[in-house]
Amino acid sequence: MAKKPPQKVGKSAKPQVARPPKGSVPGLSAVDVRKGEELSRKLPGSGPPKVLESVPLTQAACLALRQRGVSVGFVPTMGALHEGHITLIQQARRLADVVVVSIFVNPTQFGPAEDFDNYPRDRDGDLMKCRSAGADLVFMPTAAAMYPDGFQTSVTPGPVAAGACGRYRPGHFGGVATIVLKLFQVCQPHIAVFGEKDWQQLAVVRRLVRDFNFPVEVVGVPTAREPDGLALSSRNRRLSPRDREQAPVLARAITRAQQAYAQGVVDAGALCRTVMDEVKTARGVKLQYVEIVDAESIQPLRSVDRPARVLVAAHLGNVRLIDNGALGG
């Protein structure tokens, strides 16, 4: 039998993939992109800061700023702003062309028995402080906007979050890392400014940025303090007059440890006892923990042989306060 000639196989057609329209941004509507671009052209601006609650509109505006080559400085807060926050905003103002401040009391970083419902809130006062400090845009989303129905992805930090506050507030730093990641995605900063009062939080954020390759410079700003040494905190306003009088003992105790280190004491146990002895001189202050840790990894140290930090947490009435100070380095 004669062989059949081989059949010609035609070239398969390439799949047709529609290119996104020029100027579009995946995940954002054309309306949000247009409004974001319009808003970005007004920044930086004079007068009160622009206030946005919309996640996509804020993201569109910040992306447009980046595309124009405008540097974005970002200060994430939970509101109830004080002079410490103002210092952070002013630092961002010095470092970037446009300053974005977020005000969001993040529910995922509070435990079930913690003070989420009682956390101080002052929208009008916060906006006035943002204006005086030089913020250009204030992002004030709702919890439903940040955690919509179906939200199920979160960040679990590693050993940097395990000790100190992480030991007593399980899940806290997971909530912190998750919301910071989301805020970075929305606000698209070049520079993010954090206070050093919560040193462990700052270490968690720096680890997050390194591990996830965020193109963000994290800037730490020294703790702002009252004249008597008390670290500024939004929770300070909830202290009773008696507890407010006793609260500076945390700063004094840290200073005692720093003085002991300067005199040659490097044993972590001895330095912790110095802190505990000082705290005992105050009435009604219940020390939760004192730890001497590596300044970067937050791992506990037996001896201060590298840059370290003394971390302290205590309860005064129903208010929990934290503080820290440098040792070595």
Side-chain angles (χ1 to χ4, degrees), residues 36-112:
E37 290 175 346
E38 291 173 355
L39 176 59
S40 75
R41 288 193 287 270
K42 299 176 182 178
L43 300 175
S46 58
K50 311 296 182 185
V51 180
L52 297 180
E53 296 183 359
S54 166
V55 170
L57 180 55
T58 303
Q59 188 176 44
C62 293
L63 282 168
L65 288 168
R66 264 189 172 269
Q67 290 166 358
R68 286 172 43 214
V70 177
S71 62
V72 177
F74 177 50
V75 182
T77 82
M78 293 206 301
L81 304 185
H82 49 67
E83 286 298 320
H85 293 110
I86 291 175
T87 299
L88 303 184
I89 298 170
Q90 290 172 337
Q91 176 70 345
R93 176 82 282 158
R94 288 188 286 270
L95 297 174
D97 300 321
V98 168
V99 176
V100 179
V101 177
S102 67
I103 297 177
F104 179 62
V105 184
N106 177 37
T108 66
Q109 68 190 70
F110 289 81

Side-chain angles (χ1 to χ4, degrees), residues 298-314:
I298 316 300
Q299 297 307 294
L301 298 176
R302 292 185 178 182
S303 177
V304 181
D305 57 359
R306 69 198 76 170
R309 216 76 187 184
V310 51
L311 308 181
V312 178

Side-chain angles (χ1 to χ4, degrees), residues 10-307:
K11 294 182 179 180
S12 59
K14 292 182 180 179
Q16 297 298 313
V17 179
R19 292 186 178 182
K22 186 177 180 180
S24 67
V25 179
L28 297 178
S29 71
V31 172
D32 285 323
V33 171
R34 176 176 55 79
K35 289 183 176 180
E37 290 175 346
E38 291 173 355
L39 176 59
S40 75
R41 288 193 287 270
K42 299 176 182 178
L43 300 175
S46 58
K50 311 296 182 185
V51 180
L52 297 180
E53 296 183 359
S54 166
V55 170
L57 180 55
T58 303
Q59 188 176 44
C62 293
L63 282 168
L65 288 168
R66 264 189 172 269
Q67 290 166 358
R68 286 172 43 214
V70 177
S71 62
V72 177
F74 177 50
V75 182
T77 82
M78 293 206 301
L81 304 185
H82 49 67
E83 286 298 320
H85 293 110
I86 291 175
T87 299
L88 303 184
I89 298 170
Q90 290 172 337
Q91 176 70 345
R93 176 82 282 158
R94 288 188 286 270
L95 297 174
D97 300 321
V98 168
V99 176
V100 179
V101 177
S102 67
I103 297 177
F104 179 62
V105 184
N106 177 37
T108 66
Q109 68 190 70
F110 289 81
E114 294 184 338
D115 58 350
F116 173 75
D117 291 333
N118 295 323
Y119 194 86
R121 293 162 171 84
D122 182 14
R123 177 187 172 95
D124 292 341
D126 288 345
L127 291 176
M128 289 179 61
K129 291 182 177 71
C130 284
R131 179 176 184 174
S132 68
D136 297 294
L137 191 155
V138 180
F139 177 46
M140 303 183 72
T142 63
M146 295 304 288
Y147 300 108
D149 289 342
F151 182 87
Q152 57 185 281
T153 306
S154 59
V155 178
T156 302
V160 69
C165 281
R167 180 177 298 110
Y168 293 91
R169 302 185 69 186
H172 167 68
F173 287 117
V176 169
T178 299
I179 194 60
V180 168
L181 185 150
K182 287 178 67 67
L183 288 170
F184 281 0
Q185 293 286 6
V186 174
C187 298
Q188 296 288 311
H190 297 82
I191 297 166
V193 183
F194 291 80
E196 293 183 353
K197 181 177 74 70
D198 192 335
W199 184 266
Q200 189 173 16
Q201 174 179 271
L202 179 59
V204 168
V205 171
R206 284 174 168 157
R207 186 76 261 171
L208 176 80
V209 167
R210 287 195 295 270
D211 289 350
F212 286 94
N213 305 107
F214 276 102
V216 179
E217 178 185 357
V218 177
V219 176
V221 175
T223 303
R225 298 183 180 275
E226 299 282 6
D228 60 6
L230 176 63
L232 295 184
S233 168
S234 299
R235 290 183 169 94
N236 289 353
R237 64 180 70 184
R238 295 177 50 219
L239 292 168
S240 69
R242 188 188 75 171
D243 288 338
R244 172 61 186 85
E245 183 179 344
Q246 301 299 316
V249 73
L250 299 183
R252 291 200 305 272
I254 290 168
T255 299
R256 296 284 184 272
Q258 291 171 323
Q259 291 170 342
Y261 173 78
Q263 293 168 5
V265 179
V266 296
D267 179 75
L271 293 168
C272 287
R273 287 191 291 274
T274 298
V275 172
M276 291 186 283
D277 289 343
E278 182 64 28
V279 172
K280 289 176 182 176
T281 66
R283 293 172 297 169
V285 181
K286 297 180 180 179
L287 188 66
Q288 186 178 63
Y289 72 77
V290 53
E291 294 188 19
I292 309 297
V293 300
D294 180 282
E296 180 178 344
S297 70
I298 316 300
Q299 297 307 294
L301 298 176
R302 292 185 178 182
S303 177
V304 181
D305 57 359
R306 69 198 76 170

